[in-house]
Amino acid sequence: MLSPRAPSAHVLTYAQTLKGGGVEDALLRLTAGWIALGRRVTLVIGEAAGPLAAKVPLGVDVIELGDASYLGMARVAEIAAWLAPDLIFCPGNHYTAVAAWIRLRLGSACPPIVAKVSNALDRRDQGWPLTPAYRVWLGWHRHFVDHLVAMTPAMKSEAIRTTGLPATKLSVIPNPPVRRVADAPRSPVPDGRFLLGVGRLAPQKRWDRLIASFARLADRDISLMILGEGEARGALEAQVAALGLRERVTLPGHVTDPSFAIEHAEALALVSDFEGVPGVLREALAAGTPVVATDSSVAVREIIASPALGTVVDANDPAALVAALDHWLAPGQPRPAPVPQPGADSAAAYLELFDDLVLARRAGVPAANVAVPALPALPICASFLRGPVRERV
């Protein structure tokens, strides 16, 4: 049942695709919670096809743009002007440019915008000249975002330092925990003992780093399986072939629920250049599976809080990565005690924040915005091709 009297009765959010990714997966879990708590949620999607489409909660109003490019996503501002939601939620760093355009386009009529910090803000992987340019961009966030949500205290501190936003405009709310998907096919597992990676086959994830380290492991009887799909598949398959690892390395693709594989792996590895709060690390530790991870974000050491849970290594130290994997893959190595995932009340915590921001706006508290010249009105496209689960503009 909807809660029409709630200050943030209608929340609009957006994403480019449903092809897979932690940001989009977490967004769908949040929207499910908001729907369950009686709010109306509109989800604007660039392209709605993909493995995550099956996870879109019943009750969410889905608008498909038919264009997942940043230029196509600019139409979110047009839709926000038409629907007039109470609040706009930006699900991650990757999407804040869209939030900036919404603020610029709607001006004083823009509802409060809440953005989530989904990835590391201190990006050591960028180098010159991207690093200083990115810092300038982060400093602009205080002009178009009303509130930032970090997923851990360390990420909040990083956000304060890099964006210049005061602590009063940041909150710490973890992602809702990943639950088993009802009736999902059991994820594949190799025969015998195996090392597991879970995540998109994307350059950020650096599965090439893991494959190279796997080739140097002391235990030649163990196998490696990486669950995920993405644009790096061809390069990874070529690397596997070049190293003579076709019999020991498998890339089965995306799976809806990797929990069975996580529970049965000897260890889980995440070797990204940058991350936010990697949910897969929390999933593994909740299952009592040890983890090996690069120091891809300030949150990694918050998750792997004890040497009994796993090992954090420098991303640029391949010898340390091999040593850590050898340690946790040694036969008879004790598994850690399961660590419960946080975030059971995250959806409600977000709604409490949303309500406070909407009430503050109604009380006349100034919004975060940039002084911009008036722009001509965009024509609003109100003609939809109606389908059973979505509307397409």
Side-chain angles (χ1 to χ4, degrees):
M1 179 181 295
L2 295 177
S3 300
R5 296 182 183 177
S8 59
H10 181 194
V11 178
L12 183 144
T13 187
Y14 55 91
Q16 284 179 292
T17 74
L18 296 176
K19 292 181 179 179
V23 171
E24 292 76 18
D25 202 343
L27 174 61
L28 295 180
R29 298 199 302 274
L30 282 172
T31 59
W34 298 338
I35 290 290
L37 291 169
R39 306 302 170 97
R40 176 187 174 190
V41 178
T42 297
L43 174 62
V44 183
I45 290 287
E47 293 179 355
L52 294 180
K55 293 187 177 183
V56 175
L58 292 176
V60 173
D61 298 328
V62 178
I63 298 177
E64 183 180 7
L65 300 173
D67 184 352
S69 69
Y70 268 115
L71 185 61
M73 294 302 295
R75 296 186 67 194
V76 177
E78 177 182 336
I79 292 168
W82 176 53
L83 293 178
D86 297 300
L87 183 134
I88 294 172
F89 177 65
C90 171
N93 313 28
H94 177 68
Y95 293 116
T96 55
V98 177
W101 170 243
I102 294 171
R103 175 72 69 187
L104 183 69
R105 178 64 190 85
L106 272 60
S108 61
C110 185
I113 296 176
V114 174
K116 188 183 79 173
V117 181
S118 61
N119 267 316
L121 299 178
D122 190 0
R123 292 279 301 278
R124 291 168 294 172
D125 62 296
Q126 290 178 328
W128 177 267
L130 288 178
T131 295
Y134 189 58
R135 285 296 182 93
V136 171
W137 167 240
L138 291 176
W140 270 92
H141 280 54
R142 64 183 183 273
H143 298 298
F144 61 86
V145 171
D146 293 275
H147 203 91
L148 274 179
V149 174
M151 292 180 280
T152 72
M155 290 190 78
K156 177 180 177 180
S157 297
E158 183 181 62
I160 292 171
R161 174 167 46 82
T162 56
T163 67
L165 278 163
T168 55
K169 290 196 172 185
L170 283 102
S171 298
V172 175
I173 305 176
N175 276 337
V178 175
R179 307 292 188 190
R180 284 187 177 274
V181 178
D183 302 324
R186 193 177 76 173
S187 53
V189 296
D191 294 331
R193 302 169 63 246
F194 67 97
L195 172 66
L196 178 66
V198 178
R200 290 176 298 112
L201 305 185
Q204 167 199 349
K205 299 294 185 179
R206 292 301 307 271
W207 297 123
D208 61 309
R209 176 183 285 148
L210 180 60
I211 292 169
S213 296
F214 177 76
R216 298 171 55 192
L217 295 185
D219 190 341
R220 298 290 173 171
D221 294 325
I222 199 159
S223 60
L224 168 64
M225 180 173 70
I226 302 174
L227 297 176
E229 195 52 80
E231 66 272 24
R233 170 176 285 278
L236 295 176
E237 289 177 337
Q239 181 188 18
V240 169
L243 292 172
L245 297 173
R246 283 178 171 167
E247 300 300 318
R248 297 175 58 204
V249 177
T250 56
L251 306 170
H254 176 86
V255 298
T256 302
D257 184 354
S259 57
F260 184 79
I262 290 173
E263 291 166 3
H264 287 80
E266 295 295 306
L268 180 137
L270 185 72
V271 295
S272 309
D273 278 335
F274 64 94
E275 286 285 349
V277 178
V280 70
L281 296 183
R282 293 202 190 278
E283 290 179 68
L285 294 179
T289 299
V291 296
V292 174
T294 51
D295 54 350
S296 53
S297 89
V298 292
V300 169
R301 294 187 187 277
E302 292 180 294
I303 297 172
I304 309 174
S306 163
L309 302 177
T311 305
V312 183
V313 301
D314 188 305
N316 297 310
D317 190 342
L321 177 57
V322 171
L325 292 172
D326 275 337
H327 169 77
W328 288 106
L329 295 173
Q333 181 68 35
R335 294 172 73 87
V339 179
Q341 297 186 62
D345 60 347
S346 292
Y350 266 103
L351 292 181
E352 183 177 355
L353 170 64
F354 293 172
D355 287 347
D356 288 345
L357 291 171
V358 173
L359 288 174
R361 175 68 61 84
R362 292 174 184 173
V365 177
N369 58 29
V370 184
V372 296
L375 296 174
L378 286 175
I380 301 301
C381 178
S383 61
F384 292 88
L385 299 176
R386 301 187 182 276
V389 296
R390 66 173 63 90
E391 297 173 325
R392 183 183 175 106
V393 297

